[in-house]
Amino acid sequence: ITMPFSHFVTAMGLLFLPRVSAEFNDRGAAGVRKIVGAVSALFGVAGICYLVVVLKFGKSLMEHLYAGKYGAFEHFLPYVGLYMVINAVGQGLVIGLRGMQAASEVFVAYAGTAAVTLVFGIALTRTWGLTGAVVALLVNSVAFASLLAFRYFVTLRKASVSC
């Protein structure tokens, strides 16, 4: 249920990346800040819209797509949907970092949250099973978006100073 939106965000990111890169080359950090804010907001609003659709039709979608085999897990849909929204907003920051030729900062965010995922994912899944895994997914998405935001603003500040 989450994959169509994930693919949408990835595809849109590929379309926006050249524009962000051009803004960085033409206007520096100020141009990037403006467009990345707009892209992150667009992705966030699109994620919320998709979440509303999933919440409204999720039960029937799960019934139709999975022949009723996973109906017992439909109560996790709001949390997985929240994960999608958080990650969508984070992808706007990823585009900004890549557009500023700072892909290594994206790597830092992924690597940094890998440790969070290992620690919380294993501990929470072991303790609470599937519920723990969903909680760990949310903790990971918040950690990823937070670390991305921190690295994005540090990189933006460096770019502002060097311009």
Side-chain angles (χ1 to χ4, degrees):
I1 289 180
T2 63
M3 292 308 294
F5 184 71
S6 177
H7 290 301
F8 167 78
V9 170
T10 300
M12 294 302 291
L14 293 172
L15 290 175
F16 285 123
L17 182 58
R19 177 75 175 136
V20 172
S21 186
E23 283 291 320
F24 182 63
N25 288 331
D26 294 344
R27 294 183 183 87
V32 169
R33 181 180 292 122
K34 184 177 179 182
I35 195 166
V36 167
V39 169
S40 294
L42 172 69
F43 285 174
V45 169
I48 290 168
C49 291
Y50 192 80
L51 173 60
V52 168
V53 170
V54 167
L55 292 177
K56 184 157 178 74
F57 301 107
K59 182 178 180 177
S60 59
L61 277 171
M62 286 183 71
E63 178 71 32
H64 178 72
L65 293 173
Y66 305 117
K69 295 179 183 173
Y70 299 103
F73 305 109
E74 69 189 34
H75 62 282
F76 289 121
L77 284 175
Y79 306 106
V80 174
L82 182 58
Y83 161 80
M84 289 185 327
V85 173
I86 294 167
N87 276 352
V89 172
Q91 288 307 308
L93 301 173
V94 167
I95 294 165
L97 286 166
R98 288 181 176 158
M100 290 187 288
Q101 307 301 314
S104 62
E105 298 295 343
V106 177
F107 171 78
V108 168
Y110 276 113
T113 55
V116 172
T117 301
L118 283 173
V119 170
F120 282 98
I122 292 170
L124 292 173
T125 303
R126 182 175 165 90
T127 304
W128 292 322
L130 187 56
T131 300
V134 172
V135 170
L137 184 72
L138 286 172
V139 168
N140 176 44
S141 67
V142 169
F144 180 65
S146 299
L147 187 52
L148 258 179
F150 175 73
R151 299 310 310 159
Y152 170 76
F153 287 114
V154 166
T155 303
L156 205 58
R157 191 174 322 117
K158 286 179 187 176
S160 294
V161 170
S162 68
C163 291

